[in-house]
Amino acid sequence: LRLMYTATAMQSKNVGASGPEKYTEAFIKKQIEEFNLGKRHLANMMGEDPETFTQEDIDRAIAYLFPSGLFDKQARPMMKHPTEIFPEQRKIQWGEDGRPFHFLFYTGKQSYYSLMHETYEKLLNVQKYQDQLTAQDHLPQKEKRNLAGNRWLTKIELEEMLLEKLSDDEYSRFIQLLQKLMMLPCGDIEEKYIQKFSKEVPVQLQKVVIEPLKYDERGVAFSTGEGTRKTARATAVVYDNGTGKITVNGIDVLHYFPVLQDREQLLFPFQFLDRVGKHDMVCTVSGGGRSAQAGAIRLASAKALRSFVTEKEVEFMRQAGLLTFDPRVKERKKPGQEGARRKFTWKKR
Amino acid sequence: DDKLLSEPLSHPDFFNVKELFSLKDLFDARVHLGHKKGCRHRFMEPYIFGCRLDQDIIDLDQTMQHLQLALNFTAHIAYRKGIILFVSRKRQFCHLVESTARECGEYAHTRYWQGGLLTNAHVQFGPGVRLPDLLIFLSSLNNIFEPHVAIRDAAKMNIPTVGVVDTNCNPCLITYPIPGNDDSPTAMELYCKLFRMTIIRAKDKRQQSEVFNELR
């Protein structure tokens, strides 16, 4: 026997649930009044002037009065202006007689479609202007515009602007229309309109600056470098015209690093650049273990050697991995396991 | 107030829509041109004058009568402050239709029709929404050459429809069909101009009548 579920009472939707809560204007107004009142009370409590109590003062006061150890900033107690807390919502779209205000109301997405309508109108205007110019043979040549510094609004930003949900297809259509408008020879007329939908992207050139050589009292060139590995932090000062002497924390390298492997690590940058006996090094290191300290000093000395060496050799060093920070740290132990990866012994019974 | 609403109904052509167009205007705007013989819809045969070189020619005398009835009806709806919704799924004329609606102060929908717009309006828009009182189809097919969903939905919701039906369209469910070309730009501009003039005329008449009533 198969049970056939009928779709009557079981699936009838709860009539009360209708999307996100709609906040009425009166409600928001009341919230704003309460917020202002609370701000004055808070200022009195902190002993400051209620008139000049800014949002930063409010945040500091709340953090002082209600200290919270929660990690998520959004979960901590906060007091912000109601317009920041309650999201902007569409008010009622039609008047008393029932007629909607916007002429594209019945499409469902009135702001998006009105935007498309406006943009298309601008496009037609530009084409008409272009035709006029062509008739008089005054058509201007298209100069190459530098598009590197601008980007279009993202879908989420556009959704925020229109207060409506968009689909990817609609968003891409809108961007294509804007691009078409921009590509036209006389598109410059509508520059202002297009700028509403484009944002500047600050150029992010992170070129690593190699510091120049410094000279100490004796006239010897030197340069410093810093390096870290696991928990070890090291600073190295590499001097020119040296004999290959290395001092770590005031102790000679042979005594500080009895193991050959660590000393090999220290020598690697010099050996790579064929400058084994030419430089002196004085370093300080703290934290970590034997191997970590060696790795930290290696990185520090490689960074210091960049100043002594041509750019090509710096590139070689980078490719050899001498200048890369090693991100490997000890992985945390998880509950239910013996270690980070090791599980408890599995017993069949 | 009662007299205001009942007075226009006593005249056959209260708003004098006949003077807005003539047969020559329709001919110049190429309203009589239909599609090819193979695209002909069975129910459009009464409205077709003949076939020339495989292309159907629509009977403009019948078009004149239907157009007069339709324009008269829209004028009455506009006089009674009804909501008029222009619908067309032709991409070339989407902008034209939307601008016409905006200038009249009425509404337009030339985009993708979401299924429950008319039948599920209270869920889609909100409780208390007012549905359109008249749907004007400036092209009754959608982009896949099938009858527009709104024709069926308006019939379900008891909303009267006015529509320009071409030789490949189904005129059945439309209350005031207007057999005519819906593909030429000149024809579409003519229709938009006619609807715009009737609606503005009707609204002006309404305002005048209200002013007269108040003076009395």
Side-chain angles (χ1 to χ4, degrees):
Chain A
L1 265 184
R2 260 186 311 150
L3 274 174
M4 305 269 274
Y5 286 96
T6 44
T8 43
M10 304 250 302
Q11 283 174 19
S12 62
K13 267 193 257 190
N14 176 17
V15 182
S18 55
E21 263 179 61
K22 300 267 166 72
Y23 302 114
T24 51
E25 282 220 37
F27 174 77
I28 302 272
K29 248 192 205 169
K30 204 170 71 118
Q31 293 294 316
I32 295 177
E33 278 169 25
E34 281 182 14
F35 171 79
N36 287 332
L37 216 67
K39 199 165 87 161
R40 293 186 79 89
H41 279 307
L42 200 62
N44 277 332
M45 270 196 269
M46 300 300 284
E48 290 189 39
D49 184 18
E51 305 299 323
T52 56
F53 206 56
T54 58
Q55 184 61 44
E56 289 161 0
D57 296 325
I58 296 179
D59 291 334
R60 257 189 292 125
I62 296 284
Y64 171 71
L65 292 168
F66 304 97
S68 152
L70 299 170
F71 292 128
D72 192 0
K73 304 277 185 222
Q74 305 274 40
R76 294 184 184 179
M78 66 166 130
M79 185 162 141
K80 292 211 186 313
H81 195 80
T83 44
E84 289 171 44
I85 301 183
F86 298 107
E88 247 185 83
Q89 268 173 359
R90 290 275 203 66
K91 303 152 225 167
I92 263 293
Q93 307 282 344
W94 51 86
E96 267 184 18
D97 57 349
R99 289 184 77 101
F101 297 128
H102 201 272
F103 77 108
L104 289 176
F105 168 75
Y106 286 106
T107 53
K109 298 185 194 178
Q110 62 180 47
S111 3
Y112 169 71
Y113 286 130
S114 79
L115 192 73
M116 292 290 277
H117 180 81
E118 259 182 56
T119 319
Y120 190 69
E121 202 167 314
K122 300 262 187 268
L123 190 81
L124 288 177
N125 280 347
V126 168
Q127 280 174 347
K128 208 166 72 176
Y129 181 69
Q130 232 176 284
D131 292 335
Q132 278 173 3
L133 288 187
T134 339
Q136 299 159 5
D137 284 326
H138 284 326
L139 204 66
Q141 292 305 320
K142 173 82 175 166
E143 321 111 30
K144 258 240 141 176
R145 220 176 311 194
N146 185 19
L147 299 163
N150 293 339
R151 65 165 173 94
W152 297 117
L153 284 186
T154 56
K155 187 174 152 220
I156 302 169
E157 285 168 355
L158 194 60
E159 278 184 355
E160 273 173 41
M161 202 167 111
L162 300 175
L163 297 173
E164 264 168 9
K165 285 264 174 293
L166 293 176
S167 78
D168 289 327
D169 188 38
E170 290 165 357
Y171 169 71
S172 61
R173 266 186 196 264
F174 176 62
I175 298 295
Q176 279 167 14
L177 196 61
L178 279 178
Q179 277 167 347
K180 189 169 167 189
L181 181 58
M182 203 169 68
M183 286 298 128
L184 289 177
C186 305
D188 298 325
I189 316 164
E190 307 295 343
E191 188 85 32
K192 242 199 265 181
Y193 183 75
I194 297 176
Q195 266 167 12
K196 271 196 248 170
F197 304 104
S198 63
K199 273 200 177 168
E200 291 223 347
V201 172
V203 182
Q204 278 174 357
L205 271 179
Q206 265 180 7
K207 217 171 167 179
V208 185
V209 177
I210 304 176
E211 278 158 55
L213 290 170
K214 283 171 271 185
Y215 294 87
D216 68 357
E217 321 95 23
R218 290 178 295 148
V220 177
F222 73 94
S223 92
T224 30
E226 284 177 357
T228 41
R229 172 87 213 277
K230 276 193 189 176
T231 337
R233 309 273 177 265
T235 41
V237 185
V238 176
Y239 292 92
D240 209 358
N241 298 347
T243 50
K245 213 165 61 155
I246 305 178
T247 315
V248 182
N249 281 357
I251 308 170
D252 189 40
V253 67
L254 280 169
H255 297 291
Y256 198 84
F257 291 116
V259 183
L260 176 67
Q261 181 192 323
D262 304 332
R263 280 172 293 179
E264 270 184 343
Q265 287 286 302
L266 291 201
L267 277 175
F268 181 27
F270 300 97
Q271 182 211 0
F272 184 78
L273 298 167
D274 288 328
R275 288 162 179 250
V276 179
K278 295 180 195 161
H279 292 284
D280 271 342
M281 191 158 74
V282 177
C283 14
T284 48
V285 68
S286 63
R290 184 200 83 204
S291 196
Q293 284 185 343
I297 301 174
R298 181 182 114 174
L299 181 61
S301 57
K303 282 195 180 163
L305 278 171
R306 280 184 309 190
S307 324
F308 288 94
V309 137
T310 55
E311 271 195 34
K312 242 188 184 177
E313 294 199 313
V314 170
E315 180 60 25
F316 287 150
M317 276 217 288
R318 187 190 70 86
Q319 283 182 3
L322 276 166
L323 300 173
T324 324
F325 167 68
D326 197 336
R328 297 178 290 174
V329 281
K330 191 161 175 170
E331 196 175 314
R332 104 166 233 212
K333 175 199 171 313
K334 282 105 191 174
Q337 294 174 351
E338 202 172 302
R341 299 289 173 105
R342 158 119 174 110
K343 323 281 187 272
F344 291 123
T345 318
W346 180 66
K347 299 209 172 79
K348 200 162 184 181
R349 45 189 71 84
Chain B
D1 195 40
D2 227 8
K3 200 161 164 248
L4 204 71
L5 294 177
S6 58
E7 214 219 302
L9 296 175
S10 44
H11 306 253
D13 196 1
F14 184 70
F15 301 96
N16 202 5
V17 291
K18 277 204 198 85
E19 63 172 24
L20 289 173
F21 59 93
S22 70
L23 210 137
K24 189 161 187 318
D25 290 332
L26 295 184
F27 184 82
D28 288 332
R30 311 185 199 176
V31 164
H32 58 290
L33 301 171
H35 289 275
K36 292 277 187 183
K37 192 165 68 175
C39 294
R40 195 191 302 164
H41 193 97
R42 200 183 134 169
F43 296 137
M44 287 299 286
E45 276 157 22
Y47 303 120
I48 291 173
F49 183 70
C51 192
R52 165 101 167 166
L53 294 172
D54 262 8
Q55 190 179 6
D56 287 329
I57 309 294
I58 298 167
D59 189 357
L60 282 181
D61 294 320
Q62 295 190 45
T63 306
M64 290 267 284
Q65 294 166 5
H66 283 93
L67 192 56
Q68 194 261 311
L69 288 172
L71 288 177
N72 187 31
F73 186 70
T74 40
H76 279 275
I77 294 271
Y79 184 86
R80 285 158 169 264
K81 297 211 182 149
I83 296 183
I84 301 180
L85 187 62
F86 286 84
V87 180
S88 161
R89 208 47 186 108
K90 282 245 150 68
R91 261 194 78 140
Q92 310 98 291
F93 310 119
C94 143
H95 185 84
L96 174 67
V97 170
E98 285 183 344
S99 347
T100 320
R102 200 180 35 186
E103 281 154 27
C104 298
E106 299 296 339
Y107 308 87
H109 184 107
T110 56
R111 309 285 177 167
Y112 178 73
W113 183 275
Q114 276 164 328
L117 241 168
L118 289 180
T119 41
N120 205 14
H122 291 285
V123 168
Q124 289 217 338
F125 294 115
V129 82
R130 189 176 147 186
L131 289 180
D133 301 306
L134 174 65
L135 250 56
I136 302 186
F137 288 92
L138 285 147
S139 134
S140 69
L141 297 180
N142 59 15
N143 285 349
I144 352 176
F145 302 108
E146 277 169 19
H148 203 292
V149 178
I151 305 176
R152 191 201 66 186
D153 280 353
K156 277 193 191 175
M157 305 297 288
N158 287 344
I159 300 173
T161 8
V162 162
V164 174
V165 280
D166 205 351
T167 44
N168 54 355
C169 307
N170 189 350
C172 285
L173 284 176
I174 305 173
T175 28
Y176 290 92
I178 304 170
N181 191 6
D182 62 1
D183 299 297
S184 302
T186 39
M188 290 300 271
E189 279 169 15
L190 176 76
Y191 297 135
C192 288
K193 191 183 83 167
L194 290 174
F195 281 119
R196 191 172 48 234
M197 295 204 324
T198 35
I199 293 175
I200 292 176
R201 214 183 247 202
K203 287 186 172 173
D204 287 339
K205 255 228 161 112
R206 171 71 185 227
Q207 243 188 342
Q208 280 173 7
S209 316
E210 279 181 343
V211 163
F212 279 156
N213 265 14
E214 270 180 46
L215 285 175
R216 257 186 247 148

